[in-house]
Amino acid sequence: MEKQTITIYDVAREAGVSMATVSRVVNGNPNVKPSTRKKVSEVIERLNYRPNAVARGLASKKTTTVGVIIPNITNQFFALLANGIDDIAAMYKYNIILANSDDNLDKEIKVFNTLLAQQVDGVIIMGSDIDSEFLKEIERSSTPVVFAGTVIEDSDQYTVNIDDELASQNTTEHLLEKSDRVALVDKTSHQRKNKYRVAGFKKAYENLGKSFDEDLVIQTELDYQEADRIVDEILDLNVGGLIVFDDMIAVAILNELIKRGIKVPEDMEIVTGHNTMVAEIARPALSSIELPLYDIGAVAMRLLTKIMNDEEDIDEHQIVLPHKLKERDSTR
């Protein structure tokens, strides 16, 4: 037997009030007599009535629901961002629909359109890169979008991130003060972030007057299970330091170096890029660029609330938050 859905009409009829009165009680409107509020609340409880956000949205043109697209739900980097988003969403009484895109462009576009079909009031998109095709799809929509931890070169888009170029430059300079040669390891799929990270990497060599060659930039779709291959390449470069912009891969490289009898940090220093728990629990614990991941998520959600509510104090489209270097046992 199909379970009957309880509607606002059922509650109003049972309580002997208008649907407008039920709506005011549900939405916390103070203009309801205490006795009436109590009666309606008791009926809501007894009937187990749950307001339909989409139905409410048809009337108010708002569902108080925000969609969040996450590229990889198992990656702690994005989990920490999502935590900041969720806390601010709860503060402003927004519900979250979390959608995983599996780092797949076709699925990203499909997930985005699915969220729009559910009449979300806004969308937050996480990820390292946004494909031009996906960006066109976003621009076609009138739904507000904020990018969190994402490099977007279109100044009309709303973004919250760190300065990737400066973070790379600062970290490289720190390592070059103790070694003449430092290598950078990053994923080729991070095309836009790569561009800025490599620019900062080169600028550090230039600023310190050290000899740079392109072989020091290792861009690969490296899986952490293939660390032996990348370590072969690193050892051929005769470097004294590494910046690895992925914590899982950094730990895999660390383990492979130790397995080969190479001491960290005595023989090779390592700094990773995201400062997730993975970097902290490695042994030796990995030094890392410290991104304010929770803050990036929180600021992105607050920015989205401002856009959705047409607030006037939006000073800038692209918000840049500060980064630091968190030194642990993998650097001297």
Side-chain angles (χ1 to χ4, degrees):
M1 183 177 176
E2 188 176 348
K3 187 176 179 181
Q4 184 179 359
T5 301
I6 302 299
T7 67
I8 191 171
Y9 173 76
D10 298 322
V11 176
R13 183 181 57 189
E14 187 76 14
V17 298
S18 69
M19 286 188 288
T21 298
V22 177
S23 178
R24 283 194 287 270
V25 171
V26 168
N27 292 307
N29 190 311
N31 298 322
V32 181
K33 289 194 301 184
S35 58
T36 303
R37 182 182 303 280
K38 183 174 183 293
K39 181 170 62 174
V40 172
S41 298
E42 286 173 352
V43 172
I44 287 172
E45 178 98 18
R46 178 158 50 81
L47 297 182
N48 197 27
Y49 170 63
R50 294 290 179 268
N52 185 316
V54 172
R56 289 158 68 189
L58 292 174
S60 67
K61 302 193 185 302
K62 287 189 176 184
T63 61
T64 62
T65 301
V66 167
V68 177
I69 300 178
I70 185 168
N72 184 342
I73 205 162
T74 65
N75 189 318
Q76 197 187 20
F77 175 88
F78 298 117
L80 289 168
L81 277 174
N83 193 24
I85 292 168
D86 187 58
D87 281 356
I88 301 303
M91 184 184 300
Y92 285 87
K93 299 187 175 2
Y94 281 92
N95 300 308
I96 293 287
I97 299 176
L98 189 64
N100 181 32
S101 67
D102 289 324
D103 275 320
N104 180 287
L105 171 62
D106 292 335
K107 189 172 180 181
E108 278 179 338
I109 294 173
K110 183 178 178 181
V111 161
F112 178 70
N113 286 317
T114 298
L115 289 172
L116 297 187
Q118 293 182 33
Q119 299 184 358
V120 294
D121 295 336
V123 178
I124 293 178
I125 299 173
M126 305 181 201
S128 298
D129 286 325
I130 297 298
D131 185 275
S132 57
E133 186 180 339
F134 187 21
L135 196 56
K136 285 178 186 174
E137 197 72 20
I138 292 164
E139 288 169 345
R140 284 177 50 208
S141 163
S142 59
T143 301
V145 171
V146 172
F147 296 92
T150 307
V151 173
I152 295 288
E153 293 172 332
D154 182 351
S155 60
D156 289 334
Q157 299 295 333
Y158 291 98
T159 68
V160 183
N161 201 5
I162 66 162
D163 186 330
D164 282 288
E165 181 174 334
L166 184 60
S168 180
Q169 179 187 333
N170 292 160
T171 307
T172 306
E173 287 175 350
H174 180 75
L175 291 175
L176 283 175
E177 287 170 358
K178 297 167 280 183
S179 173
D180 286 333
R181 286 171 65 81
V182 171
L184 179 150
V185 180
D186 201 0
K187 289 187 174 183
T188 50
S189 59
H190 298 168
Q191 291 179 9
R192 288 186 177 85
K193 277 188 179 285
N194 266 342
K195 183 173 87 171
Y196 290 102
R197 287 166 174 170
V198 171
F201 185 65
K202 289 180 177 179
K203 192 176 289 184
Y205 272 87
E206 182 182 315
N207 287 351
L208 296 178
K210 302 218 176 190
S211 177
F212 173 82
D213 66 73
E214 297 291 340
D215 290 341
L216 292 167
V217 177
I218 303 170
Q219 295 183 347
T220 175
E221 271 313 296
L222 175 70
D223 185 276
Y224 69 90
Q225 294 172 320
E226 302 174 59
D228 55 341
R229 178 172 61 81
I230 202 70
V231 167
D232 286 341
E233 190 171 347
I234 289 166
L235 295 179
D236 286 343
L237 292 171
N238 190 31
V239 296
L242 290 175
I243 306 171
V244 186
F245 282 99
D246 184 288
D247 289 7
M248 289 287 286
I249 292 172
V251 172
I253 290 172
L254 169 68
N255 291 342
E256 183 65 23
L257 288 170
I258 291 172
K259 189 168 81 174
R260 298 191 191 194
I262 296 162
K263 295 178 182 178
V264 176
E266 293 86 352
D267 302 328
M268 181 91 65
E269 294 189 277
I270 302 177
V271 177
T272 188
H274 292 156
N275 196 38
T276 62
M277 190 187 299
V278 172
E280 192 172 352
I281 65 176
R283 288 297 175 267
L286 289 169
S287 297
S288 180
I289 297 169
E290 190 172 14
L291 284 74
L293 294 176
Y294 178 92
D295 292 348
I296 289 173
V299 172
M301 183 63 216
R302 179 63 185 109
L303 177 59
L304 185 62
T305 65
K306 289 183 176 184
I307 301 165
M308 292 185 298
N309 294 312
D310 295 320
E311 295 182 29
E312 296 180 357
D313 63 333
I314 301 176
D315 299 323
E316 51 192 328
H317 277 61
Q318 300 188 321
I319 298 172
V320 179
L321 298 184
H323 65 274
K324 296 186 290 186
L325 178 61
K326 178 70 175 178
E327 289 217 69
R328 297 192 178 97
D329 299 331
S330 65
T331 50
R332 298 192 297 272

